[in-house]
Amino acid sequence: MHGTVNAITRSRLAVLAITVAVLASAISLTAAETKTSLVDLEGRTVNLQQLTESRPTLLVFWATWCGPCRAEIPRINEAFRRFSDDGLAVMAVNPGIRDSLDGVRHYVNHFQLQYPVYFDPNQATRSAYNLIGTPTVILLDADGREFQRGETVDLKTIERLVNLRSRKAGNEEKLETGN
């Protein structure tokens, strides 16, 4: 009997340890995200969290040498055109892997990117967002939570997120006015 109780206790302790480890990594991920500094095309330092704060955000991680990244440009431009007036922040972040700020500037001009582009000279976004490769497309809700992650821009999912936000804002307005 004691052997069974000890096995159950060890099993519960193992589950507890795993849970604590997962929570600790989530907390450190949040801390890393808040400290992620990027550089805009003019060379000014910006904070990624401030750029994405309080609004849904389409984050596209890309590289100048990445063919599939180039193929995403029309969809990113379309997302920017269709949804930025509805509150969606659209931005591309070059995580600084085998790239330079000058190379990024040239690429942006050559391919006429219509959305904001940032460069990560310290490659901090690689660990903060668990990037494995490019392109990595992350859709965040207005609270900064990951809504979707993939390799392509999904315009239908973006539309759904923007519509959810609009309905939520409309319901809050009704509550405030009593209608």
Side-chain angles (χ1 to χ4, degrees):
M1 176 85 172
H2 285 284
T4 304
V5 171
N6 285 338
I8 292 171
T9 301
R10 281 193 302 271
S11 176
R12 286 183 178 163
L13 286 173
V15 168
L16 179 62
I18 291 169
T19 303
V20 168
V22 168
L23 289 174
S25 70
I27 290 169
S28 67
L29 176 62
T30 303
E33 288 172 1
T34 61
K35 296 177 185 172
T36 303
S37 292
L38 304 173
V39 176
D40 67 14
L41 295 181
E42 285 76 42
R44 295 179 300 236
T45 301
V46 296
N47 180 285
L48 182 56
Q49 184 195 26
Q50 290 174 338
L51 295 172
T52 62
E53 199 167 49
S54 302
R55 58 187 178 155
T57 303
L58 178 65
L59 278 174
V60 180
F61 294 95
W62 65 285
T64 59
W65 43 264
C66 170
C69 298
R70 189 172 300 138
E72 284 302 299
I73 292 171
R75 283 186 287 281
I76 302 165
N77 280 336
E78 184 175 352
F80 181 71
R81 182 185 54 75
R82 283 179 53 189
F83 302 112
S84 61
D85 287 344
D86 295 325
L88 180 72
V90 176
M91 63 191 70
V93 177
N94 182 299
I97 303 164
R98 299 189 326 240
D99 271 327
S100 67
L101 182 56
D102 285 337
V104 169
R105 285 182 188 127
H106 175 74
Y107 186 95
V108 168
N109 290 332
H110 180 76
F111 289 103
Q112 301 177 354
L113 306 185
Q114 299 170 6
Y115 42 87
V117 175
Y118 301 94
F119 181 69
D120 180 2
N122 302 315
Q123 298 184 10
T125 52
R126 286 180 76 182
S127 60
Y129 287 92
N130 296 314
L131 300 180
I132 295 170
T134 56
T136 297
V137 179
I138 302 174
L139 186 58
L140 304 172
D141 69 11
D143 297 320
R145 292 182 302 249
E146 193 171 300
F147 192 79
Q148 183 184 51
R149 177 186 287 248
E151 296 176 358
T152 61
V153 174
D154 182 345
L155 295 169
K156 289 183 180 186
T157 302
I158 294 170
E159 184 173 30
R160 194 173 82 228
L161 178 62
V162 168
N163 287 339
L164 283 172
R165 182 172 188 250
S166 297
R167 282 196 300 265
K168 182 180 175 184
N171 288 339
E172 289 173 0
E173 187 176 301
K174 286 179 185 177
L175 288 174
E176 288 174 9
T177 60
N179 292 330

